[in-house]
Amino acid sequence: MNDEPLRCPTSPTSPTFFTSPELPAIPLDVGDVAGVHGRLKFKHDSTSPVKRDATWLDRERAQLQAYEYLCHIGEAKEWIEACIKEQIAPIESMEEELRNGIDLAHLARSFKPECVKKIYEDRSCLKFRHSDNINYFFAAMRTVRLPEVFFFELTDLYDKKNIPKVIYCIHALSHLLSKKNLAPSMKNLVGQLSFTEEQLDATQASLQEAGVSMPAFKSVGDALSKELETAPSSPVDIAKAERDAHFVNNQDRIVRLQAFIRGHVTRQHTKALAAERQKQRQEASNCLAQKREASAVRAQAAIRMHLARKSYRNRLNGYKSNEKAISKIQAQWKSRAARKAYKARIASIKGHDHAWAKLQANFRGRKQRELYNQRKAFLSAQGEAVEKIQAMWRAKRFAKAYHALSQLQDPQINVLQNFLDLLDDNDNDFQEDLDIERLRQLVVEQIRESINLESEVGELDIKISLLVKNRITLEEVVRSTTSTKKLLKAARNEAASADNLSSSVVNLAAKDRETTRKRRHYEELFYLLQTQSSYLARLVFTVNKMSGASSIKFLTKVVLSLYGYAQDRRQESLLLRLFKDAIDLEVDDISTLDEFWRADPFFLRLVVDYTRRGGNADYLRGLVKPFVKAIIEDKNLNLETDPVLIYRSLIAAEESQTGQKSSRPYDVTPQQAAEDSEVIALQTERAEKLRKLSQDFLEVLTHSAKKMPFGLRYIARHVKETLQKRFAGHDDEIVRLVGGNFIYYRYINPAIIQPEQFEVIDLTAASGLSPTQRKNLAELGKALHQLSVGKAAGPESARRASELSPQTTADSSKAFMNFFKEATIVEPEMEDEYAEAMDEYVGMALKQRPSVKLSSAEIFQLHRILVDNINDVAKEETDHIRVVLADLEPVPALSEVAAGPEVELHLRNRFPTLQDERAIRIRTLWTETKRYIIAVIRVQSGKNLLDILEAPVTEREEALFQQLLADEAEQIREKREAAGLVKKDGSAPRSTEDVARSASIGGSAYNLATMGSVNNLGGPGLGISREQLVGSQSSLLKASDNGGSPTFFSLKRRALENMAQLEADGEVSKGNKYQDMLNAIAKDMLTKSRRRARRRKELISLRNTLKNLQDKSLYLEEQKKSYHDYISACMAQLGNKKHKGKRPLPFTKQYAHHKSLQKAGTVPKFGSFKYTAADLHRKGVLISLDDHSPSKYNQVALTISSDEAGVFNIEASFYGVKVAETMELRLEDLLAAQYNNEVVMTLMEGAKVNVNLLIFLLNKK
């Protein structure tokens, strides 16, 4: 064992920090800080092997603070034990033991027993009853009038929120009781106790975790004195005062005791001194000789050492005085020796230079070959690992460079050149583009087929209803003939009015000149309404304020039809812009925040319809369906929490089971019902289920915020930002209102309470839902809505709200708030894409005009509403919409509108603005120039783009450019062959008409991904077809000056000219070396993967759409077939009934006509009737005959015959001579004309007949 003496530790963090009682953790010999009694000062331990770093002092201070705090706890422990005469818990567990207040209650009983009634002594666990013990202690301290400033809170001790304040209170109490002689004084134990390092660390950690400030224990006496307005007295002063009092009381006894002790000590000292002197005299004589001898030896050694030191110092001083000379002598000697050795080495080498050089070369070569072979053998043995490392290194370097590119604001040329390959399309990208175009063509064709089938099925449905109605009419005619005269009179009046109306009917489907002019102006009007959203926004805002519900409903339908129900990107972008303008108007019109939702803005109705279609509904179905399905499938689930309804259901269940009247009272108030024990139990159980469902739904909802459709998030964000700008300082309230009242209540909640409206469940399942299941869905929606707006439940659900944990409710509201904040964030990339959709349409406006389908009545009614509110829609007289409306005057009345199918308007732009033309030109120029620049930087490098464009072209760069052209020309040829646009012999397999049709039907939007190709340097490929998609990649010839093969010089010249034009337009700046163009190219690189992912999503969506359309077409085909079968059966049954009519009477015209047909053998299957025009005119069936006066009607004969059910053949003769071809008239056509309110019909190019009376005549016969 090492005998080296132990060093005194300096601090708890020093390596000599011992924890034994002999060597305490806090040293006792370091002394106090000057002026602060008991405060230990730091002492540097120079013998410690541990180096002190910058945090040493902080660690020392923290350890000393923990030590002093433990000492103060020990002082309080000893004082309490002295007061209560009992042992309490040790220092390390005293904080925990004090929490029950038992020891404090005993302490209070020691000096104020009347304040302590009964101490609760249970130490097994902490209970709330222990707070009575602490209150006893408080009462005792108030009785002795301890100042309230020293009191601690009940939670400081019971919940361990501030234990140091509790110890501080005990110290203050000890000073007060000591001053009043009610208890002994407290000792100062700082520096007298020892603790282990673990105890100090644990104490320090608990103090840091509590986060409370340490009380000034040293000044507690001063503070108490100040509060009591008396002089301070420390524990030392108190002890001194006690000692002085004891001395005064026992002064005589102390004097006698002191005298006796002094006498005894003097006598003993005298005896010892005499003996010591005798012993010293004896030993002195013996040691004198030894001392003299030792002194002589020491004197001789000192003299010799002095002389040696003197000689050494003299010699050293001599060296120092001649230091420079000695250094020169040493240097000259070393130099001479080195030169001599060098000359000898040179002499031995001279004459053998070639041999030495060869030897050195051989040696170096050998060493290098050995190292190379070793390295090669090692790499060969680790080939697979080396390849992985190389791949990982390249991937890491590329990822690092790509990340740097995304972070750079102004990337340089050399950075972009490393990523130019990102702009190239691979074969898969090209094939996906072709697939998208092909699927679009198929979808459009399938949609058209589906529309045609729906139209046919609708017409067949009308025909069936007309046939059924005609069948009833026919039976009535057969049964009754008394009202024939009245019917004839009414028919004549109706025919007369039809003549007057036929001249004033307005029909936009007509081909005359006036109708064409009106149609053109309506196309201009609807183009303005669609693209200039401010017109419609002001119109709907005004109508919503002034008109009734019918006008609002009409405008909702027309506006959504005008934007095609947002079925494509362009229409959705324009509709979102309308929402934006409408929101701005609504917010400007309100004065308080709540008024926005109470006003019921019109745009919310449009948004509700918009969110129920397309991707908005898909997201909603995926979100809600699992929860709705779970609620529906749980047949025993009941979420009703209204206490009155629960109470009544209990009475009903009791009476159903027992068959006797319930003893419960029937009429109770909600408060009385809520106090019933069974109601409470059911409410608690159902509230817990409802809370669990709400929490599960909210968890799924919060994770799907980023999947929410763009349109809904865009609208919510604009509502939020507009309201925040209008009502500053209410940001959180606005976010909650927008989220709760808009996103949840108007978008998500309807899908929960009415799932069949959103196809969450089918109509069959919806019809089978019980009232309880409906109520469960409504309860879930209501609970989620209350959480979304951050409000408590209503009066009818008071019990449920009390059962829900307040903390859970707060967490749910906070989760909703976080979801709303995330849902109102719109990605800039998506916003740019929607803005580009509108810009691309402007560029394509003259090539392919958009269309809108509306009925004539809808067009004219919207025209009327615009004219009535024109002062609010457009205030300036020169406004474009006023000009168009002036050309359309007057507004046709609805009674003048001809019934018929919807009118398709191909919208046209009557007022192209200079700004639009400029934007199109700049965009085209920008895209073309960007492609040129990409081709340039593939070949040439430089500091910046301006230097590259102005640098001369070398032969090497020209050759490299031509090689790139040749390589990509071969790739284009292969793509054209793969696409089937050309055969290997160069012939085209598709006709020009096929290509044109594909361009018009399925023209895909321009894809920026193709811009990386050197050959793909033409204009913007807007609306390109399959052939154009490949053919556009050979448009680099535009960069040639003379129309021949392009050169690198001509390419750079064209790019430089375009950059100059863009600079003139303010798009780029020469001052920053055209850095704006490089930034645009970098953005295309970074968004390539996003565009590719969007293309793949579009492929999936198109395939699903095509499948759904095909399924729908099959369904419509089956329905169409069944309708045809039903119509055939109706016609056959109708024919059978007619065939059973009476035979004509003998010697009549009909009898003679029938006999002549029998002789000729041409009797029709369903009869034949012959009338003169005069007969039909008298019946009212015939109105007029062109080119014949009524006096000659007797000479005109009309024969109506039928050989097929529902089909009539009409022949006309004049004086027995056939004057026209036989006309085929179908009963279904007559019924359709009657359905369309066509009273008059022209037959055989001149005979005007009354449709109603003709049908009556045919039914009668």
Side-chain angles (χ1 to χ4, degrees):
M1 184 174 180
N2 192 358
D3 295 332
E4 181 182 356
L6 297 174
R7 296 186 297 272
C8 182
T10 61
S11 70
T13 57
S14 65
T16 58
F17 187 82
F18 301 103
T19 57
S20 64
E22 292 77 16
L23 290 173
I26 300 298
L28 308 181
D29 61 344
V30 296
D32 293 345
V33 177
V36 183
H37 176 70
R39 173 68 69 182
L40 300 182
K41 65 181 179 180
F42 293 107
K43 179 180 179 182
H44 179 65
D45 185 7
S46 59
T47 63
S48 174
V50 180
K51 295 183 179 181
R52 308 300 187 194
D53 54 12
T55 62
W56 170 76
L57 189 60
D58 294 333
R59 294 197 305 271
E60 294 288 322
R61 183 179 292 107
Q63 288 282 13
L64 287 177
Q65 184 186 25
Y67 172 78
E68 290 180 357
Y69 174 64
L70 289 175
C71 289
H72 293 318
I73 295 177
E75 295 168 355
K77 173 182 179 299
E78 289 191 6
W79 182 74
I80 293 174
E81 290 176 348
C83 291
I84 65 176
K85 310 300 183 183
E86 293 179 7
Q87 292 290 331
I88 62 175
I91 295 174
E92 57 270 19
S93 60
M94 183 175 173
E95 289 184 351
E96 188 66 29
E97 288 294 324
L98 285 178
R99 293 179 64 189
N100 54 33
I102 297 175
D103 296 331
L104 295 181
H106 285 291
L107 176 62
R109 179 175 286 176
S110 68
F111 63 88
K112 284 296 177 181
E114 65 273 16
C115 295
V116 181
K117 297 179 181 179
K118 182 179 180 181
I119 301 176
Y120 185 64
E121 297 282 353
D122 186 6
R123 296 179 183 266
S124 59
C125 62
L126 187 63
K127 300 180 180 179
F128 186 74
R129 189 176 175 184
H130 285 120
S131 60
D132 295 337
N133 298 338
I134 303 175
N135 290 326
Y136 295 154
F137 183 66
F138 286 157
M141 289 193 295
R142 290 188 179 93
T143 303
V144 298
R145 297 187 177 182
L146 179 68
E148 291 287 337
V149 70
F150 296 101
F151 278 48
F152 58 88
E153 298 294 333
L154 177 64
T155 56
D156 291 342
L157 177 59
Y158 189 83
D159 296 332
K160 291 184 68 177
K161 289 187 176 180
N162 196 345
I163 297 298
K165 189 173 181 180
V166 178
I167 303 301
Y168 182 74
C169 177
I170 295 174
H171 276 250
L173 180 64
S174 70
H175 281 269
L176 180 62
L177 295 180
S178 176
K179 186 174 294 186
K180 293 185 177 183
N181 293 326
L182 296 177
S185 60
M186 184 179 290
K187 298 180 181 179
N188 183 8
L189 300 180
V190 176
Q192 302 180 24
L193 299 178
S194 60
F195 304 99
T196 64
E197 187 172 3
E198 289 77 14
Q199 292 174 340
L200 293 174
D201 291 338
T203 302
Q204 179 184 355
S206 64
L207 291 175
Q208 291 177 352
E209 182 179 359
V212 296
S213 59
M214 184 64 65
F217 287 93
K218 297 302 179 183
S219 60
V220 62
D222 297 337
L224 180 63
S225 299
K226 184 176 180 180
E227 293 294 331
L228 298 175
E229 296 183 355
T230 60
S233 60
S234 64
V236 177
D237 297 334
I238 296 173
K240 183 178 179 182
E242 293 178 351
R243 195 163 52 249
D244 293 341
H246 179 75
F247 288 160
V248 171
N249 296 331
N250 300 279
Q251 185 176 2
D252 295 337
R253 297 175 62 186
I254 293 173
V255 169
R256 290 194 298 271
L257 178 61
Q258 288 177 344
F260 175 78
I261 291 174
R262 281 196 297 271
H264 177 73
V265 169
T266 301
R267 287 189 295 272
Q268 293 296 328
H269 181 68
T270 301
K271 293 180 181 179
L273 183 61
E276 182 67 23
R277 288 177 179 175
Q278 180 64 27
K279 184 177 180 181
Q280 289 178 355
R281 284 195 294 269
Q282 293 176 356
E283 291 178 353
S285 59
N286 297 329
C287 296
L288 183 58
Q290 296 178 1
K291 290 181 179 180
R292 290 177 178 176
E293 182 179 359
S295 298
V297 172
R298 287 195 296 273
Q300 292 174 354
I303 293 171
R304 286 195 297 271
M305 184 170 59
H306 174 70
L307 294 176
R309 288 174 179 167
K310 184 177 181 180
S311 175
Y312 173 74
R313 283 195 294 269
N314 291 335
R315 188 166 62 253
L316 187 61
N317 290 334
Y319 290 156
K320 289 182 178 180
S321 60
N322 298 287
E323 183 176 1
K324 294 183 179 180
I326 294 172
S327 298
K328 290 180 179 180
I329 293 173
Q330 290 176 343
Q332 290 177 1
W333 185 86
K334 292 177 182 178
S335 176
R336 181 174 178 275
R339 284 193 296 273
K340 184 177 179 181
Y342 176 73
K343 290 178 180 179
R345 184 64 176 169
I346 292 299
S348 63
I349 295 175
K350 192 173 290 184
H352 303 86
D353 295 344
H354 179 71
W356 284 109
K358 185 176 181 180
L359 180 61
Q360 290 174 348
N362 290 336
F363 179 77
R364 286 195 296 269
R366 180 182 176 186
K367 292 296 292 181
Q368 290 297 327
R369 284 191 295 273
E370 289 179 356
L371 292 175
Y372 175 76
N373 291 331
Q374 291 176 2
R375 186 64 178 171
K376 185 177 180 181
F378 174 76
L379 294 177
S380 299
Q382 307 292 332
E384 185 176 350
V386 171
E387 291 177 358
K388 290 182 179 180
I389 293 173
Q390 290 175 342
M392 291 174 60
W393 183 83
R394 285 193 296 268
K396 185 176 181 180
R397 184 181 65 174
F398 184 83
K400 185 176 181 181
Y402 186 81
H403 179 72
L405 175 63
S406 63
Q407 300 297 323
L408 291 177
Q409 294 183 353
D410 296 323
Q412 300 302 316
I413 294 290
N414 56 350
V415 178
L416 296 181
Q417 287 175 333
N418 295 330
F419 298 95
L420 286 177
D421 292 339
L422 291 178
L423 297 177
D424 290 337
D425 277 348
N426 54 31
D427 294 338
N428 188 39
D429 295 329
F430 183 76
Q431 185 61 40
E432 286 179 351
D433 284 332
L434 296 180
D435 291 343
I436 287 176
E437 184 202 359
R438 178 181 58 82
L439 288 174
R440 280 177 176 166
Q441 295 177 12
L442 294 176
V443 166
V444 171
E445 293 173 358
Q446 197 67 38
I447 288 175
R448 290 177 176 175
E449 181 182 352
S450 178
I451 292 174
N452 293 334
L453 286 173
E454 286 180 344
S455 177
E456 292 179 8
V457 170
E459 293 175 357
L460 290 174
D461 187 59
I462 293 174
K463 289 181 179 179
I464 290 174
S465 62
L466 292 175
L467 286 173
V468 172
K469 180 181 178 181
N470 185 69
R471 177 183 175 184
I472 297 173
T473 304
L474 176 61
E475 292 175 352
E476 292 176 353
V477 170
V478 172
R479 287 196 305 265
S480 175
T481 59
T482 57
S483 60
T484 303
K485 294 182 180 180
K486 295 182 180 179
L487 289 174
L488 289 175
K489 184 177 180 181
R492 291 192 187 99
N493 295 334
E494 190 173 359
S497 61
D499 289 338
N500 297 327
L501 290 175
S502 61
S503 60
S504 61
V505 170
V506 179
N507 184 7
L508 290 178
K511 302 298 183 181
D512 58 279
R513 182 176 180 179
E514 180 62 22
T515 303
T516 303
R517 183 189 70 82
K518 280 186 172 292
R519 183 186 182 93
R520 181 184 182 90
H521 290 321
Y522 277 118
E523 290 173 349
E524 296 166 354
L525 174 64
F526 281 93
Y527 179 85
L528 284 175
L529 293 176
Q530 188 186 70
T531 57
Q532 304 297 324
S533 56
S534 58
Y535 293 138
L536 270 180
R538 288 193 288 267
L539 178 64
V540 298
F541 176 76
T542 304
V543 173
N544 190 41
K545 293 290 184 182
M546 302 175 60
S547 301
S550 59
S551 298
I552 299 300
K553 184 177 181 181
F554 167 75
L555 277 180
T556 302
K557 177 184 177 183
V558 171
V559 169
L560 291 175
S561 299
L562 181 61
Y563 291 98
Y565 291 92
Q567 293 303 307
D568 60 29
R569 181 65 60 84
R570 172 190 169 276
Q571 292 173 339
E572 186 176 7
S573 302
L574 292 173
L575 184 59
L576 291 178
R577 191 163 65 180
L578 171 63
F579 292 152
K580 181 176 178 293
D581 293 340
I583 291 168
D584 294 339
L585 289 174
E586 294 287 349
V587 173
D588 290 340
D589 188 58
I590 61 176
S591 56
T592 62
L593 188 58
D594 294 337
E595 188 179 348
F596 179 78
W597 304 106
R598 292 198 303 268
D600 192 18
F602 179 79
F603 81 90
L604 283 179
R605 296 187 179 93
L606 298 176
V607 171
V608 168
D609 199 293
Y610 159 72
T611 54
R612 295 186 180 186
R613 302 178 184 274
N616 299 319
D618 293 341
Y619 164 78
L620 201 55
R621 282 192 291 270
L623 176 67
V624 173
K625 189 171 184 178
F627 296 93
V628 173
K629 186 177 180 182
I631 291 176
I632 293 176
E633 290 179 351
D634 191 350
K635 302 298 182 181
N636 298 323
L637 181 64
N638 190 341
L639 299 179
E640 178 60 66
T641 55
D642 187 355
V644 175
L645 295 179
I646 296 176
Y647 182 83
R648 292 175 180 174
S649 66
L650 290 175
I651 293 178
E654 179 183 351
E655 292 178 348
S656 299
Q657 291 177 359
T658 61
Q660 299 179 358
K661 183 178 179 180
S662 175
S663 60
R664 300 172 183 260
Y666 285 87
D667 295 329
V668 294
T669 63
Q671 292 76 11
Q672 293 173 342
E675 294 174 356
D676 188 271
S677 58
E678 294 186 34
V679 173
I680 294 174
L682 284 176
Q683 267 193 323
T684 304
E685 179 185 356
R686 295 174 182 180
E688 178 61 25
K689 292 180 180 179
L690 187 60
R691 184 195 65 80
K692 181 66 168 57
L693 281 173
S694 302
Q695 291 296 320
D696 294 343
F697 183 86
L698 183 57
E699 182 178 357
V700 175
L701 181 65
T702 53
H703 286 85
S704 66
K706 293 184 178 180
K707 300 178 182 179
M708 185 174 291
F710 168 82
L712 185 69
R713 299 169 68 180
Y714 177 84
I715 298 169
R717 186 197 67 175
H718 190 70
V719 173
K720 180 192 73 173
E721 293 178 350
T722 308
L723 289 175
Q724 287 177 346
K725 185 178 179 180
R726 181 78 168 82
F727 304 99
H730 298 80
D731 293 355
D732 290 343
E733 182 182 358
I734 289 172
V735 170
R736 186 172 293 283
L737 286 176
V738 172
N741 291 333
F742 176 62
I743 296 178
Y744 175 77
Y745 185 70
R746 284 177 170 81
Y747 177 58
I748 300 175
N749 188 60
I752 298 176
I753 61 178
Q754 292 181 333
E756 68 275 8
Q757 298 294 331
F758 296 83
E759 299 181 7
V760 176
I761 60 176
D762 55 29
L763 294 177
T764 304
S767 62
L769 292 181
S770 64
T772 301
Q773 291 172 324
R774 288 284 187 185
K775 182 67 175 178
N776 292 341
L777 295 175
E779 286 293 327
L780 176 60
K782 186 189 300 182
L784 290 171
H785 182 236
Q786 290 165 353
L787 293 175
S788 67
V789 297
K791 294 182 180 179
E796 73 281 3
S797 303
R799 183 65 188 176
R800 177 185 62 191
S802 64
E803 292 298 334
L804 290 175
S805 170
Q807 183 64 33
T808 303
T809 304
D811 293 343
S812 300
S813 298
K814 184 177 180 181
F816 256 119
M817 191 70 172
N818 295 332
F819 165 73
F820 294 150
K821 289 181 179 179
E822 188 174 1
T824 53
I825 298 175
V826 178
E827 297 82 357
E829 295 82 2
M830 288 295 296
E831 195 168 3
D832 292 342
E833 291 176 10
Y834 275 77
E836 288 175 4
M838 290 185 289
D839 292 340
E840 289 172 5
Y841 166 73
V842 174
M844 298 172 59
L846 300 177
K847 296 181 180 180
Q848 184 179 358
R849 292 182 295 164
S851 62
V852 172
K853 280 191 174 183
L854 294 170
S855 67
S856 299
E858 291 172 340
I859 294 174
F860 297 145
Q861 187 174 352
L862 180 60
H863 186 183
R864 168 56 62 189
I865 295 175
L866 275 171
V867 172
D868 293 342
N869 300 277
I870 190 61
N871 293 328
D872 296 314
V873 174
K875 297 182 179 180
E876 297 183 4
E877 295 295 333
T878 58
D879 199 288
H880 292 164
I881 197 169
R882 282 182 176 267
V883 175
V884 176
L885 290 175
D887 294 337
L888 284 170
E889 291 180 353
V891 182
L894 293 181
S895 59
E896 301 174 358
V897 178
E902 291 183 341
V903 179
E904 184 175 9
L905 300 177
H906 295 279
L907 307 185
R908 63 179 72 243
N909 186 5
R910 178 178 176 180
F911 307 100
T913 61
L914 181 61
Q915 181 180 1
D916 290 340
E917 295 174 355
R918 178 179 177 273
I920 298 170
R921 178 181 59 82
I922 291 176
R923 184 171 59 254
T924 304
L925 184 63
W926 179 271
T927 305
E928 178 183 306
T929 307
K930 188 188 297 184
R931 295 176 179 179
Y932 290 163
I933 296 302
I934 292 173
V936 170
I937 63 178
R938 281 183 182 272
V939 178
Q940 196 171 7
S941 300
K943 294 181 179 180
N944 52 64
L945 184 56
L946 182 60
D947 290 346
I948 292 177
L949 294 177
E950 294 179 347
V953 178
T954 63
E955 293 182 358
R956 175 182 171 278
E957 292 168 349
E958 183 65 42
L960 180 58
F961 178 69
Q962 295 299 330
Q963 182 61 39
L964 287 175
L965 285 181
D967 293 342
E968 292 202 3
E970 179 63 22
Q971 294 178 6
I972 292 173
R973 188 188 64 79
E974 293 176 355
K975 288 181 180 181
R976 291 172 65 88
E977 292 179 357
L981 298 177
V982 296
K983 298 180 180 179
K984 293 186 178 181
D985 57 0
S987 60
R990 299 176 64 190
S991 64
T992 305
E993 290 78 5
D994 294 336
V995 175
R997 185 177 68 252
S998 66
S1000 63
I1001 296 176
S1004 59
Y1006 165 57
N1007 186 2
L1008 285 176
T1010 62
M1011 68 185 306
S1013 172
V1014 174
N1015 280 328
N1016 188 16
L1017 300 172
L1022 300 175
I1024 58 175
S1025 66
R1026 187 168 177 231
E1027 182 174 356
Q1028 292 169 331
L1029 182 65
V1030 181
S1032 64
Q1033 297 187 356
S1034 61
S1035 58
L1036 182 58
L1037 293 175
K1038 293 174 63 177
S1040 176
D1041 294 332
N1042 52 9
S1045 178
T1047 63
F1048 191 55
F1049 174 78
S1050 62
L1051 175 67
K1052 291 180 61 177
R1053 179 178 177 181
R1054 182 67 178 273
L1056 197 57
E1057 292 174 353
N1058 289 356
M1059 293 298 291
Q1061 294 181 26
L1062 290 174
E1063 184 179 10
D1065 292 326
E1067 298 296 321
V1068 296
S1069 174
K1070 195 174 183 179
N1072 61 1
K1073 312 297 183 182
Y1074 297 143
Q1075 183 63 39
D1076 299 324
M1077 179 60 70
L1078 297 180
N1079 294 342
I1081 296 174
K1083 182 180 178 181
D1084 293 337
M1085 293 176 178
L1086 295 173
T1087 57
K1088 175 66 179 293
S1089 59
R1090 191 179 300 114
R1091 291 193 303 272
R1092 183 175 291 170
R1094 187 170 64 251
R1095 182 171 59 229
R1096 290 172 181 169
K1097 289 181 180 179
E1098 187 175 2
L1099 271 174
I1100 296 173
S1101 177
L1102 286 172
R1103 291 191 181 103
N1104 293 335
T1105 302
L1106 184 60
K1107 182 181 181 301
N1108 294 334
L1109 287 171
Q1110 290 172 346
D1111 294 341
K1112 183 178 181 180
S1113 296
L1114 291 176
Y1115 169 76
L1116 291 174
E1117 286 286 357
E1118 294 176 356
Q1119 195 173 19
K1120 176 182 174 182
K1121 183 177 180 302
S1122 63
Y1123 279 13
H1124 274 299
D1125 295 341
Y1126 183 80
I1127 290 174
S1128 300
C1130 286
M1131 297 299 292
Q1133 187 177 8
L1134 184 64
N1136 291 334
K1137 287 190 177 182
K1138 286 185 177 183
H1139 189 59
K1140 295 179 180 179
K1142 296 181 180 179
R1143 294 182 179 180
L1145 295 175
F1147 310 111
T1148 60
K1149 293 181 181 180
Q1150 296 297 338
Y1151 182 79
H1153 174 64
H1154 186 66
K1155 285 295 184 179
S1156 63
L1157 291 176
Q1158 287 180 343
K1159 290 180 180 180
T1162 58
V1163 178
K1165 181 178 180 180
F1166 297 103
S1168 176
F1169 297 89
K1170 186 175 184 180
Y1171 301 95
T1172 63
D1175 295 336
L1176 295 178
H1177 185 68
R1178 283 193 301 271
K1179 293 177 180 290
V1181 177
L1182 180 64
I1183 297 176
S1184 64
L1185 282 176
D1186 293 348
D1187 302 330
H1188 292 82
S1189 63
S1191 60
K1192 297 182 180 181
Y1193 283 0
N1194 286 325
Q1195 310 302 325
V1196 178
L1198 295 174
T1199 303
I1200 304 175
S1201 59
S1202 176
D1203 206 21
E1204 180 182 352
V1207 180
F1208 304 96
N1209 297 318
I1210 302 177
E1211 297 178 355
S1213 62
F1214 184 66
Y1215 287 106
V1217 179
K1218 190 175 182 181
V1219 296
E1221 295 292 334
T1222 302
M1223 176 184 177
E1224 182 179 281
L1225 181 63
R1226 305 184 70 88
L1227 179 61
E1228 57 193 57
D1229 294 336
L1230 285 173
L1231 295 176
Q1234 186 184 46
Y1235 174 78
N1236 293 327
N1237 296 322
E1238 296 179 8
V1239 181
V1240 179
M1241 175 183 290
T1242 302
L1243 303 178
M1244 305 179 72
E1245 301 181 357
K1248 293 183 178 180
V1249 297
N1250 186 301
V1251 175
N1252 297 325
L1253 295 180
L1254 179 59
I1255 294 175
F1256 179 82
L1257 179 65
L1258 295 176
N1259 286 334
K1260 183 178 179 181
K1261 297 298 181 181

